PDB file of all heavy atoms in Angstrom:
ATOM      1  N   GLU K   1      -3.743   0.461  99.065  1.00  0.00           N
ATOM      2  CA  GLU K   1      -3.346   1.738  98.492  1.00  0.00           C
ATOM      3  C   GLU K   1      -2.232   2.384  99.318  1.00  0.00           C
ATOM      4  O   GLU K   1      -1.253   2.906  98.765  1.00  0.00           O
ATOM      5  CB  GLU K   1      -4.554   2.668  98.410  1.00  0.00           C
ATOM      6  CG  GLU K   1      -4.242   4.027  97.809  1.00  0.00           C
ATOM      7  CD  GLU K   1      -5.462   4.911  97.709  1.00  0.00           C
ATOM      8  OE1 GLU K   1      -6.587   4.403  97.849  1.00  0.00           O
ATOM      9  OE2 GLU K   1      -5.295   6.132  97.492  1.00  0.00           O
ATOM     10  N   VAL K   2      -2.352   2.368 100.666  1.00  0.00           N
ATOM     11  CA  VAL K   2      -1.317   2.924 101.533  1.00  0.00           C
ATOM     12  C   VAL K   2      -0.025   2.130 101.384  1.00  0.00           C
ATOM     13  O   VAL K   2       1.076   2.697 101.337  1.00  0.00           O
ATOM     14  CB  VAL K   2      -1.796   2.933 102.996  1.00  0.00           C
ATOM     15  CG1 VAL K   2      -0.678   3.389 103.931  1.00  0.00           C
ATOM     16  CG2 VAL K   2      -3.008   3.853 103.157  1.00  0.00           C
ATOM     17  N   TYR K   3      -0.133   0.818 101.289  1.00  0.00           N
ATOM     18  CA  TYR K   3       1.044  -0.023 101.065  1.00  0.00           C
ATOM     19  C   TYR K   3       1.719   0.323  99.740  1.00  0.00           C
ATOM     20  O   TYR K   3       2.935   0.450  99.655  1.00  0.00           O
ATOM     21  CB  TYR K   3       0.633  -1.492 101.089  1.00  0.00           C
ATOM     22  CG  TYR K   3       1.624  -2.425 100.432  1.00  0.00           C
ATOM     23  CD1 TYR K   3       2.803  -2.790 101.065  1.00  0.00           C
ATOM     24  CD2 TYR K   3       1.368  -2.932  99.150  1.00  0.00           C
ATOM     25  CE1 TYR K   3       3.718  -3.642 100.450  1.00  0.00           C
ATOM     26  CE2 TYR K   3       2.258  -3.781  98.525  1.00  0.00           C
ATOM     27  CZ  TYR K   3       3.436  -4.127  99.172  1.00  0.00           C
ATOM     28  OH  TYR K   3       4.336  -4.965  98.548  1.00  0.00           O
ATOM     29  N   ASP K   4       0.918   0.519  98.701  1.00  0.00           N
ATOM     30  CA  ASP K   4       1.431   0.795  97.369  1.00  0.00           C
ATOM     31  C   ASP K   4       2.129   2.149  97.298  1.00  0.00           C
ATOM     32  O   ASP K   4       3.161   2.298  96.637  1.00  0.00           O
ATOM     33  CB  ASP K   4       0.274   0.748  96.363  1.00  0.00           C
ATOM     34  CG  ASP K   4       0.751   0.625  94.925  1.00  0.00           C
ATOM     35  OD1 ASP K   4       1.955   0.453  94.685  1.00  0.00           O
ATOM     36  OD2 ASP K   4      -0.099   0.686  94.006  1.00  0.00           O
ATOM     37  N   MET K   5       1.585   3.156  97.982  1.00  0.00           N
ATOM     38  CA  MET K   5       2.102   4.514  97.882  1.00  0.00           C
ATOM     39  C   MET K   5       3.166   4.841  98.925  1.00  0.00           C
ATOM     40  O   MET K   5       4.077   5.631  98.663  1.00  0.00           O
ATOM     41  CB  MET K   5       0.948   5.516  98.015  1.00  0.00           C
ATOM     42  CG  MET K   5      -0.076   5.445  96.892  1.00  0.00           C
ATOM     43  SD  MET K   5       0.554   6.047  95.305  1.00  0.00           S
ATOM     44  CE  MET K   5       0.655   4.505  94.404  1.00  0.00           C
ATOM     45  N   PHE K   6       3.059   4.245 100.141  1.00  0.00           N
ATOM     46  CA  PHE K   6       3.956   4.614 101.236  1.00  0.00           C
ATOM     47  C   PHE K   6       4.887   3.487 101.686  1.00  0.00           C
ATOM     48  O   PHE K   6       5.833   3.738 102.425  1.00  0.00           O
ATOM     49  CB  PHE K   6       3.141   5.077 102.454  1.00  0.00           C
ATOM     50  CG  PHE K   6       2.450   6.387 102.256  1.00  0.00           C
ATOM     51  CD1 PHE K   6       1.156   6.443 101.783  1.00  0.00           C
ATOM     52  CD2 PHE K   6       3.090   7.584 102.546  1.00  0.00           C
ATOM     53  CE1 PHE K   6       0.505   7.649 101.597  1.00  0.00           C
ATOM     54  CE2 PHE K   6       2.453   8.799 102.377  1.00  0.00           C
ATOM     55  CZ  PHE K   6       1.156   8.833 101.884  1.00  0.00           C
ATOM     56  N   GLY K   7       4.613   2.263 101.285  1.00  0.00           N
ATOM     57  CA  GLY K   7       5.467   1.171 101.732  1.00  0.00           C
ATOM     58  C   GLY K   7       5.288   0.832 103.195  1.00  0.00           C
ATOM     59  O   GLY K   7       6.248   0.510 103.895  1.00  0.00           O
ATOM     60  N   ILE K   8       4.053   0.891 103.691  1.00  0.00           N
ATOM     61  CA  ILE K   8       3.733   0.493 105.061  1.00  0.00           C
ATOM     62  C   ILE K   8       3.155  -0.920 105.021  1.00  0.00           C
ATOM     63  O   ILE K   8       2.225  -1.196 104.264  1.00  0.00           O
ATOM     64  CB  ILE K   8       2.736   1.466 105.706  1.00  0.00           C
ATOM     65  CG1 ILE K   8       3.361   2.864 105.817  1.00  0.00           C
ATOM     66  CG2 ILE K   8       2.303   0.973 107.074  1.00  0.00           C
ATOM     67  CD1 ILE K   8       2.410   3.919 106.355  1.00  0.00           C
ATOM     68  N   ASN K   9       3.691  -1.786 105.839  1.00  0.00           N
ATOM     69  CA  ASN K   9       3.249  -3.175 105.888  1.00  0.00           C
ATOM     70  C   ASN K   9       2.057  -3.320 106.836  1.00  0.00           C
ATOM     71  O   ASN K   9       2.094  -2.837 107.964  1.00  0.00           O
ATOM     72  CB  ASN K   9       4.400  -4.069 106.355  1.00  0.00           C
ATOM     73  CG  ASN K   9       3.979  -5.527 106.467  1.00  0.00           C
ATOM     74  OD1 ASN K   9       3.300  -6.051 105.598  1.00  0.00           O
ATOM     75  ND2 ASN K   9       4.374  -6.174 107.552  1.00  0.00           N
ATOM     76  N   PHE K  10       0.984  -3.967 106.372  1.00  0.00           N
ATOM     77  CA  PHE K  10      -0.197  -4.213 107.190  1.00  0.00           C
ATOM     78  C   PHE K  10      -0.205  -5.689 107.585  1.00  0.00           C
ATOM     79  O   PHE K  10      -0.518  -6.563 106.784  1.00  0.00           O
ATOM     80  CB  PHE K  10      -1.475  -3.834 106.433  1.00  0.00           C
ATOM     81  CG  PHE K  10      -1.651  -2.357 106.285  1.00  0.00           C
ATOM     82  CD1 PHE K  10      -1.104  -1.682 105.205  1.00  0.00           C
ATOM     83  CD2 PHE K  10      -2.350  -1.634 107.236  1.00  0.00           C
ATOM     84  CE1 PHE K  10      -1.254  -0.315 105.068  1.00  0.00           C
ATOM     85  CE2 PHE K  10      -2.508  -0.258 107.105  1.00  0.00           C
ATOM     86  CZ  PHE K  10      -1.955   0.393 106.019  1.00  0.00           C
ATOM     87  N   GLU K  11       0.150  -5.920 108.831  1.00  0.00           N
ATOM     88  CA  GLU K  11       0.276  -7.285 109.339  1.00  0.00           C
ATOM     89  C   GLU K  11      -1.088  -7.961 109.409  1.00  0.00           C
ATOM     90  O   GLU K  11      -2.040  -7.418 109.959  1.00  0.00           O
ATOM     91  CB  GLU K  11       0.930  -7.251 110.719  1.00  0.00           C
ATOM     92  CG  GLU K  11       1.335  -8.610 111.251  1.00  0.00           C
ATOM     93  CD  GLU K  11       2.044  -8.512 112.580  1.00  0.00           C
ATOM     94  OE1 GLU K  11       2.058  -7.408 113.175  1.00  0.00           O
ATOM     95  OE2 GLU K  11       2.607  -9.521 113.038  1.00  0.00           O
ATOM     96  N   GLY K  12      -1.188  -9.147 108.810  1.00  0.00           N
ATOM     97  CA  GLY K  12      -2.442  -9.900 108.815  1.00  0.00           C
ATOM     98  C   GLY K  12      -3.349  -9.600 107.643  1.00  0.00           C
ATOM     99  O   GLY K  12      -4.457 -10.146 107.558  1.00  0.00           O
ATOM    100  N   HIS K  13      -2.921  -8.723 106.716  1.00  0.00           N
ATOM    101  CA  HIS K  13      -3.734  -8.390 105.545  1.00  0.00           C
ATOM    102  C   HIS K  13      -3.852  -9.624 104.643  1.00  0.00           C
ATOM    103  O   HIS K  13      -2.860 -10.294 104.363  1.00  0.00           O
ATOM    104  CB  HIS K  13      -3.108  -7.230 104.780  1.00  0.00           C
ATOM    105  CG  HIS K  13      -4.008  -6.626 103.753  1.00  0.00           C
ATOM    106  ND1 HIS K  13      -4.263  -7.210 102.540  1.00  0.00           N
ATOM    107  CD2 HIS K  13      -4.736  -5.465 103.770  1.00  0.00           C
ATOM    108  CE1 HIS K  13      -5.089  -6.441 101.844  1.00  0.00           C
ATOM    109  NE2 HIS K  13      -5.380  -5.376 102.567  1.00  0.00           N
ATOM    110  N   PRO K  14      -5.061  -9.935 104.154  1.00  0.00           N
ATOM    111  CA  PRO K  14      -5.244 -11.163 103.369  1.00  0.00           C
ATOM    112  C   PRO K  14      -4.661 -11.120 101.962  1.00  0.00           C
ATOM    113  O   PRO K  14      -4.417 -12.176 101.362  1.00  0.00           O
ATOM    114  CB  PRO K  14      -6.768 -11.314 103.312  1.00  0.00           C
ATOM    115  CG  PRO K  14      -7.290  -9.919 103.456  1.00  0.00           C
ATOM    116  CD  PRO K  14      -6.335  -9.217 104.375  1.00  0.00           C
ATOM    117  N   ASP K  15      -4.426  -9.933 101.414  1.00  0.00           N
ATOM    118  CA  ASP K  15      -3.984  -9.841 100.024  1.00  0.00           C
ATOM    119  C   ASP K  15      -3.177  -8.565  99.820  1.00  0.00           C
ATOM    120  O   ASP K  15      -3.534  -7.699  99.038  1.00  0.00           O
ATOM    121  CB  ASP K  15      -5.193  -9.865  99.083  1.00  0.00           C
ATOM    122  CG  ASP K  15      -4.808  -9.937  97.614  1.00  0.00           C
ATOM    123  OD1 ASP K  15      -3.685 -10.390  97.317  1.00  0.00           O
ATOM    124  OD2 ASP K  15      -5.623  -9.528  96.754  1.00  0.00           O
ATOM    125  N   LEU K  16      -2.042  -8.463 100.496  1.00  0.00           N
ATOM    126  CA  LEU K  16      -1.241  -7.242 100.450  1.00  0.00           C
ATOM    127  C   LEU K  16      -0.346  -7.242  99.209  1.00  0.00           C
ATOM    128  O   LEU K  16       0.714  -7.860  99.198  1.00  0.00           O
ATOM    129  CB  LEU K  16      -0.401  -7.106 101.723  1.00  0.00           C
ATOM    130  CG  LEU K  16       0.205  -5.715 101.971  1.00  0.00           C
ATOM    131  CD1 LEU K  16      -0.872  -4.655 102.115  1.00  0.00           C
ATOM    132  CD2 LEU K  16       1.098  -5.730 103.202  1.00  0.00           C
ATOM    133  N   ARG K  17      -0.782  -6.564  98.175  1.00  0.00           N
ATOM    134  CA  ARG K  17      -0.032  -6.392  96.940  1.00  0.00           C
ATOM    135  C   ARG K  17      -0.378  -5.032  96.343  1.00  0.00           C
ATOM    136  O   ARG K  17      -1.314  -4.366  96.775  1.00  0.00           O
ATOM    137  CB  ARG K  17      -0.333  -7.513  95.934  1.00  0.00           C
ATOM    138  CG  ARG K  17      -1.814  -7.701  95.653  1.00  0.00           C
ATOM    139  CD  ARG K  17      -2.085  -8.987  94.898  1.00  0.00           C
ATOM    140  NE  ARG K  17      -3.505  -9.241  94.784  1.00  0.00           N
ATOM    141  CZ  ARG K  17      -4.264  -8.870  93.751  1.00  0.00           C
ATOM    142  NH1 ARG K  17      -3.713  -8.235  92.721  1.00  0.00           N
ATOM    143  NH2 ARG K  17      -5.561  -9.139  93.714  1.00  0.00           N
ATOM    144  N   ARG K  18       0.399  -4.611  95.373  1.00  0.00           N
ATOM    145  CA  ARG K  18       0.169  -3.309  94.753  1.00  0.00           C
ATOM    146  C   ARG K  18      -1.203  -3.257  94.103  1.00  0.00           C
ATOM    147  O   ARG K  18      -1.697  -4.276  93.588  1.00  0.00           O
ATOM    148  CB  ARG K  18       1.259  -2.998  93.735  1.00  0.00           C
ATOM    149  CG  ARG K  18       2.632  -2.772  94.370  1.00  0.00           C
ATOM    150  CD  ARG K  18       3.574  -2.142  93.384  1.00  0.00           C
ATOM    151  NE  ARG K  18       4.896  -1.917  93.893  1.00  0.00           N
ATOM    152  CZ  ARG K  18       5.297  -0.817  94.527  1.00  0.00           C
ATOM    153  NH1 ARG K  18       4.437   0.181  94.736  1.00  0.00           N
ATOM    154  NH2 ARG K  18       6.549  -0.696  94.953  1.00  0.00           N
ATOM    155  N   ILE K  19      -1.788  -2.047  94.132  1.00  0.00           N
ATOM    156  CA  ILE K  19      -3.132  -1.881  93.595  1.00  0.00           C
ATOM    157  C   ILE K  19      -3.166  -0.899  92.429  1.00  0.00           C
ATOM    158  O   ILE K  19      -3.983  -1.042  91.525  1.00  0.00           O
ATOM    159  CB  ILE K  19      -4.103  -1.440  94.713  1.00  0.00           C
ATOM    160  CG1 ILE K  19      -5.543  -1.448  94.231  1.00  0.00           C
ATOM    161  CG2 ILE K  19      -3.729  -0.058  95.258  1.00  0.00           C
ATOM    162  CD1 ILE K  19      -6.566  -1.240  95.343  1.00  0.00           C
ATOM    163  N   PHE K  20      -2.262   0.092  92.420  1.00  0.00           N
ATOM    164  CA  PHE K  20      -2.184   1.057  91.334  1.00  0.00           C
ATOM    165  C   PHE K  20      -1.000   0.794  90.407  1.00  0.00           C
ATOM    166  O   PHE K  20      -1.128   0.889  89.189  1.00  0.00           O
ATOM    167  CB  PHE K  20      -2.077   2.487  91.885  1.00  0.00           C
ATOM    168  CG  PHE K  20      -3.305   2.951  92.602  1.00  0.00           C
ATOM    169  CD1 PHE K  20      -3.239   3.420  93.906  1.00  0.00           C
ATOM    170  CD2 PHE K  20      -4.536   2.924  91.977  1.00  0.00           C
ATOM    171  CE1 PHE K  20      -4.364   3.847  94.566  1.00  0.00           C
ATOM    172  CE2 PHE K  20      -5.674   3.361  92.632  1.00  0.00           C
ATOM    173  CZ  PHE K  20      -5.585   3.817  93.930  1.00  0.00           C
ATOM    174  N   LEU K  21       0.129   0.495  91.001  1.00  0.00           N
ATOM    175  CA  LEU K  21       1.365   0.355  90.250  1.00  0.00           C
ATOM    176  C   LEU K  21       1.628  -1.098  89.888  1.00  0.00           C
ATOM    177  O   LEU K  21       1.081  -2.029  90.493  1.00  0.00           O
ATOM    178  CB  LEU K  21       2.535   0.908  91.063  1.00  0.00           C
ATOM    179  CG  LEU K  21       2.387   2.378  91.477  1.00  0.00           C
ATOM    180  CD1 LEU K  21       3.499   2.773  92.419  1.00  0.00           C
ATOM    181  CD2 LEU K  21       2.373   3.276  90.250  1.00  0.00           C
ATOM    182  N   ASP K  22       2.485  -1.279  88.885  1.00  0.00           N
ATOM    183  CA  ASP K  22       2.872  -2.615  88.455  1.00  0.00           C
ATOM    184  C   ASP K  22       3.607  -3.336  89.572  1.00  0.00           C
ATOM    185  O   ASP K  22       4.315  -2.718  90.380  1.00  0.00           O
ATOM    186  CB  ASP K  22       3.749  -2.514  87.208  1.00  0.00           C
ATOM    187  CG  ASP K  22       4.082  -3.871  86.627  1.00  0.00           C
ATOM    188  OD1 ASP K  22       3.214  -4.433  85.921  1.00  0.00           O
ATOM    189  OD2 ASP K  22       5.192  -4.385  86.863  1.00  0.00           O
ATOM    190  N   LYS K  23       3.469  -4.655  89.605  1.00  0.00           N
ATOM    191  CA  LYS K  23       4.077  -5.436  90.684  1.00  0.00           C
ATOM    192  C   LYS K  23       5.590  -5.316  90.699  1.00  0.00           C
ATOM    193  O   LYS K  23       6.227  -5.538  91.733  1.00  0.00           O
ATOM    194  CB  LYS K  23       3.665  -6.902  90.568  1.00  0.00           C
ATOM    195  CG  LYS K  23       4.147  -7.591  89.293  1.00  0.00           C
ATOM    196  CD  LYS K  23       3.706  -9.044  89.247  1.00  0.00           C
ATOM    197  CE  LYS K  23       4.199  -9.722  87.973  1.00  0.00           C
ATOM    198  NZ  LYS K  23       3.780 -11.153  87.919  1.00  0.00           N
ATOM    199  N   ASP K  24       6.200  -4.977  89.557  1.00  0.00           N
ATOM    200  CA  ASP K  24       7.653  -4.840  89.477  1.00  0.00           C
ATOM    201  C   ASP K  24       8.124  -3.406  89.705  1.00  0.00           C
ATOM    202  O   ASP K  24       9.322  -3.133  89.584  1.00  0.00           O
ATOM    203  CB  ASP K  24       8.146  -5.330  88.112  1.00  0.00           C
ATOM    204  CG  ASP K  24       7.841  -6.807  87.883  1.00  0.00           C
ATOM    205  OD1 ASP K  24       7.922  -7.587  88.849  1.00  0.00           O
ATOM    206  OD2 ASP K  24       7.509  -7.176  86.732  1.00  0.00           O
ATOM    207  N   PHE K  25       7.213  -2.488  90.036  1.00  0.00           N
ATOM    208  CA  PHE K  25       7.584  -1.100  90.263  1.00  0.00           C
ATOM    209  C   PHE K  25       8.487  -1.006  91.489  1.00  0.00           C
ATOM    210  O   PHE K  25       8.247  -1.652  92.514  1.00  0.00           O
ATOM    211  CB  PHE K  25       6.343  -0.238  90.447  1.00  0.00           C
ATOM    212  CG  PHE K  25       6.612   1.239  90.452  1.00  0.00           C
ATOM    213  CD1 PHE K  25       6.602   1.955  89.268  1.00  0.00           C
ATOM    214  CD2 PHE K  25       6.883   1.910  91.625  1.00  0.00           C
ATOM    215  CE1 PHE K  25       6.851   3.321  89.259  1.00  0.00           C
ATOM    216  CE2 PHE K  25       7.130   3.272  91.631  1.00  0.00           C
ATOM    217  CZ  PHE K  25       7.119   3.980  90.439  1.00  0.00           C
TER     218      PHE K  25
END
């Protein structure tokens, strides 16, 4: 959610992709 809304990268996250918005947003 933080990645999706703020664009912060979480190093080592197993599945870092958008959760609310479309992948092409």
Side-chain angles (χ1 to χ4, degrees):
E1 181 179 346
V2 175
Y3 161 76
D4 197 7
M5 295 290 110
F6 290 92
I8 297 176
N9 178 44
F10 288 88
E11 190 177 10
H13 193 284
D15 187 23
L16 195 61
R17 53 192 173 93
R18 292 194 181 271
I19 188 171
F20 293 125
L21 302 173
D22 185 80
K23 63 180 180 180
D24 298 323
F25 190 89

